[in-house]
Amino acid sequence: MVCSALRRVAHMHVFLVRKASSVSKGHHRQALGSRPAASEFAARGAPGGVVELLGKSYPQDDYSNLSQKVLSRLGRNLHNQQHHPLWLIKERVKEHFYKQYVGRFRTPLFSVYEDLSPVVTTWQNFDSLLIPADHPSRKKGDNYYLNGTHMLRAHTSAHQWDLLHAGLDAFLVVGDVYRRDQIDSQHYPVFHQLEGVRLFSKHELFAGMKDGEGLQLFEQSSRSAYKQETHTMEAMKLIEFDLKQTLTKLVTHIFGDGLDIRWVDCYFPFTHPSFEMEINFHGEWLEVLGCGVMEQQLVNSAGAQDRIGWAFGLGLERLAMILYDIPDIRLFWSEDERFLKQFRVSDINQNVKFQPFSKYPAVINDISFWLPSENYTENDFYDLVRTIGGDLVEKVDLIDKFEHPKTHKTSHCYRITYRHMERTLSQREVRCVHQAMQEAVVRLLGVEGRF
């Protein structure tokens, strides 16, 4: 019974669910090719079909690649579930910003948006952020597309331009984001981000400075590693100082005093200069957020030409796993009371350390196959594994690659680790799941099985 049901799931996986939950509301080219790419297996429907999400209808095309696994997570909004560990982190950040930054009338300076629809346009997700048309982050293999013009947001930055265009100059955005990725204890196709943006006028930035009235935000010069071509060095130094001071205060509020922090130069298309913050926690350097001075072209296009600003983004799961000692990202989706009750605290700032209720034994199975000559990506395989195996799959490792010396065909061998979070799995259960996976990978990805 279980085996046949799993096989039906694998067969149904090729079709896009016409109705995916009814939860809240939100230019890319259509792919060309002689045969459908493997990434189109994921719950896709034939062009001309329609998917209904969050109260709206979206026509399907060759870009549609939503998986049933991801559709099942829409509307869960873990960051808004009271006493969930992600809610605790979000509330601690909000509390800090509300207390530390107030306006002229003692009201909070930062507004908070935590219910924005995860369905956005590709323009919002990429173009508004100056991400080039050929940038690898746009790849269909890395994102979840409803069609060629709409997708599930890959980051909360997708809302930056709209909020700036609405006239806001200090805000936080919190929400679920979606990316196709590898399978292990640190990665999940749905996770949660918190984004912060602040803009400054000339008066706000230079207020209180000696001879500040004579200083300027903008100039026409050349771009360097330290500043944009439109920013003065004085403005850039003050913005960078304010950004780093703001974030240092934030992580100190979350992790406590005496924290060692270092800044690492990095690259983002929508900020320059850009930095990652690392903290030394229990003797190990850990990256906790990315940030930078906002690209002035982005700010100008949103209608704030007389201002300069910074932005940052952090992952709620990342912070919660570090702060609460949560070892596996799948636990955030658990409805087991033994997990949830540990975070029902009277004070959101209370120190909590997750106590594992058990570590159930793993069941390991390998799967190997010859790759098709074209249109195979590992994320297609991972998406298929997630849909059929669900959260029974703890991790997937590519353990062997082999190229046949005569045919030049390539073989991959993956090791799949199955482990239930709440009970012991039987070999029979896993065998059913694994067999369904073997059948699906041949039928849907066009590989040649070696099992």
Side-chain angles (χ1 to χ4, degrees):
M1 289 287 287
V2 175
C3 288
S4 60
L6 281 165
R7 290 192 181 98
R8 285 197 299 273
V9 169
H11 276 277
M12 289 173 61
H13 189 59
V14 74
F15 300 109
L16 182 60
V17 188
R18 294 187 65 87
K19 287 191 181 282
S21 74
S22 46
V23 271
S24 63
K25 70 169 188 165
H27 300 295
H28 212 95
R29 291 183 327 227
Q30 183 170 312
L32 300 174
S34 57
R35 77 176 179 89
S39 58
E40 295 172 15
F41 81 83
R44 76 164 276 218
V50 173
V51 60
E52 295 182 11
L53 278 182
L54 314 174
K56 293 188 176 181
S57 298
Y58 301 90
Q60 299 169 55
D61 59 23
D62 287 340
Y63 251 85
S64 307
N65 69 344
L66 295 180
S67 70
Q68 294 178 21
K69 174 71 173 179
V70 164
L71 289 171
S72 72
R73 298 311 192 201
L74 276 168
R76 289 284 299 275
N77 298 326
L78 300 183
H79 61 289
N80 289 335
Q81 292 183 17
Q82 193 169 18
H83 297 299
H84 190 278
L86 299 183
W87 177 85
L88 290 177
I89 294 286
K90 179 199 72 173
E91 290 300 311
R92 291 179 72 168
V93 174
K94 283 170 55 179
E95 178 190 64
H96 173 75
F97 274 90
Y98 282 164
K99 288 183 177 179
Q100 285 288 319
Y101 308 99
V102 294
R104 285 183 299 171
F105 303 106
R106 306 307 297 170
T107 56
L109 184 65
F110 284 80
S111 51
V112 178
Y113 298 86
E114 51 197 11
D115 293 303
L116 297 176
S117 170
V119 177
V120 297
T121 65
T122 53
W123 187 90
Q124 288 173 301
N125 200 80
F126 299 119
D127 301 86
S128 74
L129 296 166
L130 312 179
I131 297 174
D134 60 352
H135 196 274
S137 66
R138 291 178 178 253
K139 286 192 306 183
K140 183 175 173 182
D142 292 342
N143 299 287
Y144 289 103
Y145 286 93
L146 280 71
N147 53 39
T149 59
H150 289 79
M151 63 187 295
L152 299 180
R153 63 187 168 210
H155 44 202
T156 47
S157 305
H159 302 288
Q160 245 183 51
W161 190 93
D162 291 325
L163 293 173
L164 291 173
H165 190 62
L168 300 173
D169 55 14
F171 55 84
L172 303 177
V173 179
V174 196
D176 43 339
V177 299
Y178 299 78
R179 294 183 197 169
R180 304 177 83 210
D181 212 334
Q182 65 201 77
I183 301 177
D184 58 32
S185 63
Q186 305 289 318
H187 295 88
Y188 202 80
V190 190
F191 57 104
H192 298 75
Q193 282 187 342
L194 186 147
E195 175 111 358
V197 168
R198 185 174 184 188
L199 299 184
F200 295 84
S201 65
K202 173 185 171 181
H203 172 74
E204 290 168 331
L205 190 62
F206 297 128
M209 286 192 63
K210 185 179 179 181
D211 301 323
E213 286 301 316
L215 298 176
Q216 301 297 323
L217 294 178
F218 306 111
E219 66 178 11
Q220 283 303 319
S221 60
S222 57
R223 177 172 290 235
S224 71
Y226 307 104
K227 74 176 202 68
Q228 298 173 38
E229 60 273 23
T230 55
H231 295 163
T232 65
M233 186 60 76
E234 293 85 3
M236 198 289 302
K237 285 183 175 178
L238 282 174
I239 283 285
E240 181 181 337
F241 175 80
D242 187 84
L243 168 64
K244 291 181 175 179
Q245 183 184 59
T246 298
L247 296 177
T248 297
K249 287 180 179 178
L250 172 62
V251 297
T252 300
H253 169 71
I254 292 173
F255 290 97
D257 294 324
L259 199 63
D260 287 332
I261 293 171
R262 68 184 183 192
W263 299 92
V264 179
D265 293 338
C266 65
Y267 167 78
F268 301 115
F270 34 88
T271 56
H272 181 77
S274 303
F275 315 96
E276 288 179 343
M277 175 197 275
E278 295 183 351
I279 63 171
N280 193 311
F281 195 68
H282 297 331
E284 182 180 0
W285 285 102
L286 303 170
E287 184 260 312
V288 291
L289 58 84
C291 62
V293 179
M294 297 181 71
E295 282 285 356
Q296 196 59 40
Q297 182 184 342
L298 189 165
V299 177
N300 291 351
S301 71
Q305 298 92 329
D306 60 339
R307 294 172 183 263
I308 184 174
W310 52 246
F312 74 88
L314 56 85
L316 295 183
E317 280 88 347
R318 177 70 167 158
L319 289 187
M321 291 177 82
I322 296 170
L323 188 65
Y324 301 137
D325 282 348
I326 297 173
D328 193 311
I329 197 168
R330 292 176 299 164
L331 279 164
F332 292 110
W333 297 92
S334 174
E335 296 180 355
D336 192 316
E337 270 297 303
R338 292 173 294 178
F339 174 75
L340 297 174
K341 70 181 181 182
Q342 297 188 41
F343 301 94
R344 293 196 185 106
V345 291
S346 57
D347 180 0
I348 60 173
N349 295 302
Q350 184 174 326
N351 187 34
V352 178
K353 292 299 177 187
F354 170 63
Q355 301 299 316
F357 31 89
S358 186
K359 179 84 167 180
Y360 294 97
V363 179
I364 296 173
N365 280 277
D366 293 347
I367 184 171
S368 59
F369 44 79
W370 296 106
L371 305 188
S373 58
E374 60 180 7
N375 292 331
Y376 173 84
T377 69
E378 286 192 47
N379 281 346
D380 292 327
F381 174 64
Y382 295 146
D383 231 23
L384 179 60
V385 170
R386 286 191 190 278
T387 295
I388 296 177
D391 287 350
L392 297 183
V393 180
E394 180 175 82
K395 65 176 179 175
V396 177
D397 296 308
L398 176 61
I399 61 172
D400 185 55
K401 279 185 179 182
F402 170 71
E403 183 175 327
H404 195 284
K406 292 184 179 180
T407 64
H408 300 293
K409 293 175 67 174
T410 301
S411 170
H412 279 188
C413 181
Y414 295 90
R415 178 153 292 163
I416 303 178
T417 302
Y418 298 89
R419 192 195 307 268
H420 203 291
M421 306 295 290
E422 298 161 11
R423 62 178 177 83
T424 299
L425 285 173
S426 70
Q427 283 283 359
R428 184 173 177 275
E429 284 180 282
V430 172
R431 188 161 55 248
C432 287
V433 176
H434 202 70
Q435 286 175 353
M437 214 171 282
Q438 289 173 331
E439 294 174 12
V441 76
V442 171
R443 187 175 63 261
L444 300 176
L445 298 187
V447 305
E448 182 184 338
R450 300 183 67 192
F451 19 86

